[in-house]
Amino acid sequence: MSDRIREKLSILADAAKYDVSCSSSGGNRKNTDKGLGDSSNGICHTYTEDGRCVSLLKILLTNHCIYDCAFCVSRRSNDVQRAAFTVEEAVDLTMGFYRRNYIEGLFLSSGIFKDADFTMERLVRIVKKLRLEHKFNGYIHLKTIPGASPELLTEAGLYADRMSINLEMPTEAGLKLLAPEKSHEEVKKPLGFIQNSIVQYKDESKIIKRAPKFVPAGQSTQMVIGATPESDMEIMYSANQYYKDFDLKRVYYSGYIPISYDTRMPVIGSQPPLLRENRLYQTDWLMRFYGFDVKEILNLSNPNLDVDIDPKLSWALRNIEHFPVDVNTADYKMLLRIPGVGVGSAKKIWQARKFGRLRSDQLRKMGIAWNRAKHFIRCADSVMMLNDPNPFQIKNDILSQGDSKYTKVAQNQLALF
Amino acid sequence: MNAFVFDGTFEGLLTSIFETYEFKVKDVRLFDNLRYQPGLIDETHEVISDKAKSDRVWKAFVKKIGKQKAQNAYTVFLSEDAEAFQHIFDFIRYVFDSGEGAESNFGNPSVIAIHKWERSVSRERHRMKAFIRFEQMADGIYYAPIEPDFNVLPLIAGFFKNRYADQQWIIYDTKRKYGLFYDLENVTEIAFDFAENIESGTTPYLSKNLLDDKQELYGLLWNDYFRNTNIPARKNMKLHLRHVPKRYWKYLTEKKHN
Ligand code: SF4
């Protein structure tokens, strides 16, 4: 008995791990009736040896699948061990792990067995049981199965904190190449349906005090990077479009890990594109938190992100006429654009300068990356500069500082800027 | 420069601040009596903790910058660090002696120091929320030993009470030799003998006969999960170690069987 459940967990955790999302924030469920758990800000309970956050019990209900997507380990033509949890097993694992403070909740996905509704119905049964029978208030991320009926999606949305459905490939052409049975259209449909329901429930909650929560942590999606030949521009334009059209909370970029000998894709053993993945996340951050328009970062003359420097520095060097920025007078938007200044330090500068003009020694203490920022700012004790800043010199200077961020091999969770 | 020696309690620290106004002194070097070595400085003033005085300081402080920001000073106090004590002292004085909003003048050394210390202690608090691993004992109580860098138990009690409202639990700080016990109603402070095996032995885990039948299986399942959710092609131990520093491994179930 215990061996069988251990084997199932091994198979179904292994098959689920290529979905990189592990966020557990935004659930905002309170433990009101002495049930188990709550969710709000998200906690990484541990990190795998590849350095990724482990917050949720991320499993497939089953890795049986009727589809044959070339990039997926669970594809029907792949010769792998198959397994399936019962509803009770999935519930017990979640509860047992949660009670021991191993996890923030459950991320439940599945291969598609029989048909979409059959699969979705099973997933819903698990989350329903957790919420209603076990008074579980932990975080639940539920996969939307493409093609599932609106009734099932509505039910799912009442129990899940987040729902997601993956674009898989950044463009329709890429998807058609590797998974001809699939299309982006069938991803957009449920994204749109759930998005509308979220808005409806939100409106309702403005009128009715205790209106039920509906997918309170919103929706997300994932694109696999590097399996198909899209440029960074194509990838980020697509991400931008989905952020806009469906008000997504996150787009995840997952560097393709070769898992097959299919000649359409990189071969087994080739390195996953981790640095590229990181640059895409940085760009994503610039769009969402730093007020950049994606077209400023990627466009026809710059269709791909630089490898040696991050996209914010790269933008600054290309637009050197905006610099140096006087930190004592510049508006907040511009403070955010200074390389080496993050959101936290921009806020500190903004507040501190009300008390007097800031000097470099004060700025250094505020946590800005001085070696980068110094080329782009002026402060109370800056000396007059005669020449205009020279982007080539600055870049060389920064790179020669041996700033580990630029010279070391890719890491998937580098500090951002 | 005046030297004040206080008893190492938060009340004592606030009393010291009161007395600087009483005695009209400004530049004060603060020592707590555990760390103060007599003879280091000739003239010292010994501060006797006084509830009335400390309450007055705290109330005035809260009134000036609001409860939430005032709370940061207490968080920093839990660092148990002598330098941090001095920063709290300087910070509170600076806030009292300056106009409105001074607590966010990040150009001021004590403001930035409090901010940084608050981040450090909060990081440890956050780590404890993440790294605590309960084991279910035969009597049903969930037990977790911890050894945090700072004295963060007071900062996590509420979190665990809300989250695990329907199970009894104990979180025990083996370094500071006290713990919290939640009995399904309230959280109380406890200190007990059975922690001795834990403090002395190299293994922090409870012996098998004290555990619930299912505990071992769940521990194994968690290990299976931890291994299988990893992607070897992305291996990055440096990053792993940055997020899960070795000093925490002792109490992590996922590191137990590996
Ligand atoms: S449908 Fe999903 S699980 Fe099935 S092969 Fe395609 S990606 Fe894999």
Side-chain angles (χ1 to χ4, degrees), chain A residues 60 62-76 109-112 146 168 179 181-182:
Chain A
L60 300 188
T62 178
N63 62 341
H64 288 284
C65 192
I66 54 173
Y67 286 92
D68 203 35
C69 311
F71 52 84
C72 176
V73 273
S74 301
R75 68 191 181 278
R76 66 167 184 268
S109 176
S110 184
I112 299 166
E168 309 295 7
E181 303 160 290
K182 297 209 152 179

